């Protein structure tokens, strides 16, 4: 029986509270690898679309008329609510699929939305990013509005910015070039022309990376070069679409006839330019549903502002407002800490904060850990990650999150030393890697001509076919020894093999051609297969993701909030950034900081102010006295961490070392090495044998830097060997005797006797 819009069939409390609510955050565009790739059967009718929604999600799904504002906290199933809303409207005959345009901010999010809508039986709905939707319209209407072909889209604007700076006789280093490019993007999405840039920067209290007049000059030259070469950038796609819709009412009317209903996800991240485009799409109608959370506004540097979300009810007085606060992602312990962070927030966004209510069973308390220095923090984090993996937490369900990308190096080294695989998020996109493109071409060729390929003569099963094809590209049953490019290539190919295995479990009759189609769809949506390793990512790059265990590291004043956050508004955005990091964790959460940068340094740092009153031994803002344990950070076991080390000095020039790699070598990178080359080669040969016996990459035994340090120091005792960075107690017990024997030349002596 079909029910009128806004009057859904009765839903008992038990249906949604005691097992009836399906996972709010795991539904995906593609079958989940970890779930065995189960395919979801579309609901039988409109009413069935509402099954499993909680009361607030259900309210969203059935509010199909007039403006709707959904205030959705982290982990509350916002994407689930809005996709079920669209699907319910389509299946009930209220919305025509082709008349709905759903927009979000990433290709992956748009692809996931399309996938969910297909699973719900509403496959004809357009779900795109703002840029994708605008580019499609621009390509279609450009010949009519302007004439000729649309100018070519610029692949990498940073190169043109570099040339623009050179034309202006302004020298930029690599970091300045990246920052100036970001400033030009900000100026364009805030609709600021080059001449007005200096004034706009001053008005917004924005800290420009260089003199504002110089950036304005570079910006003007950049625009001039684009015109001369008939190219446009991504921001121009929005600007030109806005210009056409403003000037050509006939084209605007045509688009408005096409799209009758709009849904905007992550509305707190809308820029002024995107809002202007949305207004032009809407015209004088109010058939709009927006979803967002002002407490997750962390991209103001790109022009994003929560004002449009916070002002929605002012602009649309008749709006239906629904709050989603049931958190299905995180345990009560994690949610309690997240709520505590926002309870101390100030400003307009804080006035609209959502108090989350966890729907999960209780879990472990978040761990706060204080370390003497950054290398100790990284080593401690790696140890705890290794323990979690040993306890059964998959490496792919663990993340280390930091404020800036420069913090990753010491954690890469620590994880490698601990034998823990990892992947960097924010690096080259998976489907843009050369080995992935080559693998895709090989699989596509095999799918087309496989009947004539002797490589596939004896293999019928899909995963075996994939293994056979990828073996020609470097895939092997065992990973290569060591780290670096060879290992990275193997990991990419191994991820494709695992994807094939998951895909055939979900669709037993799948062919190689089906898999190729799946890969093409994933590439379009930037939905990369899971790489088995701990994720290292910045807090900004972690937005929209989640893991079983999250380690938030480097939480010191000056890093969180970052030094250049000066105004109250900037400080509050830093608090929201930490809130986003906390809410990425489902079960295990660790927060850590170091008292000094390098071993032996002055312990002048202190933990971020955002944790005051939330971590053991700290005082809440405005409170008096300290909680028990003040003066030291207490981890879950109650141990106060105050491990101190002496300064690490270069053994050649005596300079204090701060770089992790230099500290491992006990010398400056530029200082001459007295390494025993023959000993180093013997150690490398021994390491390769050990790695093969243990079926592990070579770096899990010792990294190259550690072997170099050993070959330079030539330790003669266990104590001397233990003093080398990278040789912990575990590795000393396991490999110490062998290494000392090799250093003493015993291996050579045995070889001489044998000859």
């Amino acid at each position: 029986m079909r029910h009128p819009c806004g009057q859904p069939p009765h839903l008992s409390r038990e249906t949604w509270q005691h097992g009836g609510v399906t996972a709010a955050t795991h539904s995906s565009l593609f079958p989940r690898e970890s779930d065995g790739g189960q395919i979801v059967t579309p609901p039988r009718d409109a009413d069935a679309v509402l099954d499993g929604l909680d009361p607030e999600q259900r309210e969203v799904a059935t509010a199909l008329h007039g403006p709707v504002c959904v205030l959705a906290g982290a982990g509350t199933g916002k994407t689930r609510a809005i996709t079920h809303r669209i699907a319910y409207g389509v299946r009930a005959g209220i919305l025509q699929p082709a008349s709905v345009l759903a927009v979000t901010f990433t290709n992956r999010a748009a692809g996931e939305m399309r996938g969910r809508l297909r699973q719900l039986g509403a496959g004809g709905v357009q779900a795109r990013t703002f840029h994708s939707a605008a580019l499609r319209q621009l390509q279609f209407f450009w010949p009519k509005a302007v004439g000729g072909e649309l100018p070519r889209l610029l692949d990498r604007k940073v190169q043109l910015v570099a040339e623009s700076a050179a034309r202006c006789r302004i020298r930029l280093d690599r970091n300045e070039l990246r920052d100036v490019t970001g400033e030009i993007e900000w100026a364009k999405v805030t609709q600021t022309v080059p001449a007005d840039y200096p004034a706009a920067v001053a008005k917004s209290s924005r800290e420009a990376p260089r003199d504002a007049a110089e950036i304005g000059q570079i910006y003007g030259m950049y625009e001039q070069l684009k015109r001369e070469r008939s190219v446009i950038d991504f921001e121009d796609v929005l600007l030109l679409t806005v210009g056409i819709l403003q000037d050509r009412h006939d084209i605007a009317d045509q688009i408005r006839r096409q799209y009758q209903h709009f849904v905007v996800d992550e509305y707190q991240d809308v820029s002024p330019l995107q809002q202007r485009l949305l207004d032009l799409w809407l015209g004088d109608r109010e058939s709009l549903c927006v979803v967002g959370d002002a407490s997750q506004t962390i991209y103001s540097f790109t022009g994003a502002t929560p004002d449009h979300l916070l002002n929605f009810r002012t602009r649309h007085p008749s709006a239906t407002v629904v709050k989603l606060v049931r958190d299905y992602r995180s345990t009560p312990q994690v949610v309690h800490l997240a709520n505590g962070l926002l309870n101390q927030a100030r400003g307009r966004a804080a006035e609209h904060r959502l108090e989350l209510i966890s729907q999960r069973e209780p879990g472990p308390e978040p761990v706060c850990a204080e370390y003497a220095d950054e290398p100790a923090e990284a080593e401690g984090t790696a140890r705890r990650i290794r323990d979690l993996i040993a306890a059964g937490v998959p490496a792919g369900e663990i993340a280390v999150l930091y404020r800036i990308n420069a913090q990753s190096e010491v954690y890469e080294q620590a994880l490698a030393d601990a034998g823990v695989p990892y992947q960097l998020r924010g690096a080259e996109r998976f489907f843009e890697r050369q080995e992935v493109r080559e693998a895709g071409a090989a699989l596509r060729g095999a799918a087309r001509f496989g009947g004539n390929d002797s490589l596939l003569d004896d293999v019928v099963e899909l995963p075996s076919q994939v293994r056979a094809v990828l073996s020609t590209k470097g895939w092997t049953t065992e990973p290569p020894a060591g780290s670096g490019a060879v290992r990275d290539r193997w990991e990419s190919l191994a991820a494709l093999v695992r994807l094939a295995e998951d895909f055939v479990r979900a669709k037993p009759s799948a062919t190689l051609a089906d898999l190729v189609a799946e890969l093409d769809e994933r590439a379009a949506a930037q939905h990369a297969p899971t790489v088995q390793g701990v994720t290292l990512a910045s807090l900004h790059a972690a937005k929209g993701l989640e893991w079983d265990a999250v380690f938030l590291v480097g939480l010191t004043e000056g890093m969180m909030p970052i030094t250049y956050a000066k105004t109250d508004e900037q400080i509050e955005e830093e608090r929201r950034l930490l809130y986003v990091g906390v809410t990425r964790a489902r079960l295990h959460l660790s927060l850590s900081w170091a008292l000094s940068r390098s071993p032996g340094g002055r312990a002048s740092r202190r933990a971020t102010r955002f944790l005051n009153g939330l971590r053991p031994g700290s005082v809440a803002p405005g409170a008096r006295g300290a909680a028990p344990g003040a003066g030291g950070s207490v981890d879950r076991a109650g141990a106060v961490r105050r491990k101190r080390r002496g300064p690490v000095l270069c053994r050649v020039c005596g300079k204090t070392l701060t770089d992790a790699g230099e500290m491992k070598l006990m010398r400056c990178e530029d200082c001459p090495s007295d390494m025993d080359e023959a000993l180093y080669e013997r150690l490398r040969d021994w390491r390769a044998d050990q790695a093969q016996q243990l079926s592990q990459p070579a770096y899990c035994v010792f990294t190259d830097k550690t072997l170099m340090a050993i070959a330079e120091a030539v330790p003669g005792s266990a104590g001397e060997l233990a003093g080398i960075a990278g040789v912990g107690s575990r590795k000393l017990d396991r490999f110490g005797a062998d290494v000392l024997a090799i250093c003493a030349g015993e291996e050579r002596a045995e070889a001489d006797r044998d000859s």
Side-chain angles (χ1 to χ4, degrees), residues 383-401:
R383 282 195 302 271
R384 294 198 53 223
I385 288 174
R386 191 181 63 211
D387 292 343
L388 280 177
I389 293 173
V393 180
E397 288 292 352
I398 302 174
V400 178
L401 307 181

Side-chain angles (χ1 to χ4, degrees), residues 3-4 11 13 16 97 115-116 163 205 238 282 324 346 351 371 438 531 549 557 619:
H3 295 259
L11 178 69
R13 182 179 178 87
W16 59 266
R116 292 195 191 197
E163 185 176 344
S205 300
L238 300 184
L282 272 167
L324 302 183
R346 300 289 181 268
E351 294 170 3
Y371 295 90
E438 291 174 355
V531 175
E557 286 289 312
V619 181

Side-chain angles (χ1 to χ4, degrees), residues 184-507:
I184 291 174
E185 292 172 350
W186 173 82
K188 298 187 75 165
V189 300
T190 55
Q191 302 174 80
T192 302
V193 298
D196 294 341
Y197 172 78
V201 168
K203 183 179 179 180
S204 66
S205 300
R206 188 178 180 87
E207 189 168 325
R210 280 187 73 103
D211 178 72
E214 286 186 340
I215 295 178
Q217 188 181 357
I218 296 170
Y219 177 16
M221 179 60 69
Y222 170 77
E223 292 297 311
Q224 179 181 324
L225 290 178
K226 283 199 292 116
R227 287 192 297 271
E228 290 175 0
R229 297 173 188 182
S230 296
V231 294
I232 59 175
D233 60 25
F234 272 105
E235 289 70 44
D236 291 329
V237 170
L238 300 184
L239 285 163
L240 291 169
T241 306
V242 164
I244 288 175
L245 295 182
Q246 286 180 158
D247 295 342
R248 293 292 299 267
H249 298 293
D250 56 330
I251 293 176
D253 288 341
Q254 188 173 343
I255 290 176
R256 290 169 192 157
R257 285 194 299 272
Q258 168 71 47
Y259 295 117
Q260 304 288 324
H261 192 90
F262 295 85
V263 177
V264 184
D265 194 10
E266 304 286 4
Y267 193 56
Q268 78 278 351
D269 291 333
V270 165
S271 70
L273 179 56
Q274 290 165 332
Q275 181 62 47
R276 181 67 188 129
L277 178 59
L278 180 61
D279 289 340
L280 288 166
W281 282 340
L282 272 167
D284 57 2
R285 300 166 299 175
E286 288 198 317
S287 186
L288 170 66
C289 173
V290 300
V291 189
D293 178 9
S295 296
Q296 296 188 68
T297 305
I298 60 173
Y299 296 111
S300 67
F301 62 91
T302 67
T305 170
D307 290 347
H308 305 298
L309 176 66
L310 298 177
N311 294 336
F312 191 82
R313 281 171 286 185
T314 302
R315 296 184 64 188
H316 304 277
S318 63
T320 298
V321 179
V322 184
K323 294 183 179 180
L324 302 183
V325 296
R326 302 177 197 272
D327 188 325
Y328 297 95
R329 175 187 299 158
S330 305
T331 63
Q333 288 75 11
V334 173
V335 167
H336 177 72
L337 179 60
N339 286 336
L341 277 173
L342 291 189
N343 286 340
Q344 299 177 9
R346 300 289 181 268
R348 190 169 179 226
E351 294 170 3
H352 297 268
R353 63 180 175 267
L354 300 169
E355 189 83 9
L356 298 177
I357 304 170
S358 176
Q359 306 297 297
R360 292 193 55 171
E361 293 295 321
E365 290 291 337
V367 174
C368 291
E370 183 176 277
Y371 295 90
D373 51 67
E374 287 183 6
E377 182 181 7
E379 291 167 11
T381 299
R383 282 195 302 271
R384 294 198 53 223
I385 288 174
R386 191 181 63 211
D387 292 343
L388 280 177
I389 293 173
V393 180
E397 288 292 352
I398 302 174
V400 178
L401 307 181
Y402 34 75
R403 177 60 181 84
I404 59 174
N405 287 320
Q407 292 171 273
S408 74
E409 183 178 0
V410 68
Y411 290 92
E412 293 176 54
Q413 185 68 53
L415 290 171
D417 287 345
V420 176
Y422 64 86
Q423 58 172 327
L424 280 171
R425 183 169 180 84
E428 186 181 20
R429 288 183 175 183
F430 181 83
F431 288 102
E432 293 173 4
R433 297 176 188 172
Q434 181 178 353
E435 65 269 19
V436 175
R437 292 200 303 268
E438 291 174 355
L443 290 170
R444 193 169 288 106
R448 190 175 298 128
F449 307 112
N452 300 321
D453 192 341
S454 59
L455 191 67
L456 303 180
D457 283 349
D458 300 323
V459 288
V460 178
E461 180 197 21
L462 176 59
S464 298
Q465 292 177 332
V466 172
R467 293 187 201 103
V469 173
L470 297 188
S471 65
T472 66
K473 298 300 175 183
W475 179 83
T476 55
T477 54
E478 295 295 329
S483 57
V486 174
R487 175 72 184 215
D488 290 344
R489 180 182 179 89
W490 184 89
E491 288 285 3
S492 297
L493 299 177
L496 294 175
V497 171
R498 285 193 299 272
L499 176 62
E501 293 167 350
D502 292 329
F503 188 64
V504 81
R505 278 198 295 271
K507 190 177 179 183

Side-chain angles (χ1 to χ4, degrees), residues 31-93:
R32 286 185 71 217
E33 289 92 340
S34 57
D35 286 344
Q38 296 301 310
I39 298 294
V40 179
T41 303
R44 63 185 180 279
D45 54 28
D47 289 345
V49 172
L50 303 177
D51 289 347
L53 299 182
D54 69 30
E56 293 78 24
Q57 292 171 344
R58 195 177 177 85
E59 186 179 355
V60 172
T62 55
L64 293 172
H65 297 293
V68 178
C69 179
V70 183
L71 302 176
T76 57
K78 65 179 179 63
T79 307
R80 177 183 181 80
I82 58 174
T83 51
H84 281 68
R85 177 182 186 271
I86 296 170
Y88 178 69
V90 169
R91 299 291 295 273

Side-chain angles (χ1 to χ4, degrees), residues 295 297-298 300-301 341 403-404 539-540 555-556 558-581 608-610:
S295 296
T297 305
I298 60 173
S300 67
F301 62 91
L341 277 173
R403 177 60 181 84
I404 59 174
L539 286 162
H540 283 102
L555 301 181
T556 60
M559 190 59 74
M560 176 59 67
I562 199 76
T563 306
Y564 52 76
K566 304 292 188 185
T567 66
D568 290 343
E569 188 175 336
Q570 290 168 339
I571 295 293
E572 287 305 316
E573 179 151 343
E574 292 289 298
R575 187 194 307 274
R576 294 195 296 268
L577 188 57
L578 181 57
Y579 172 79
V580 166
T608 173
R609 71 190 76 170
F610 300 145

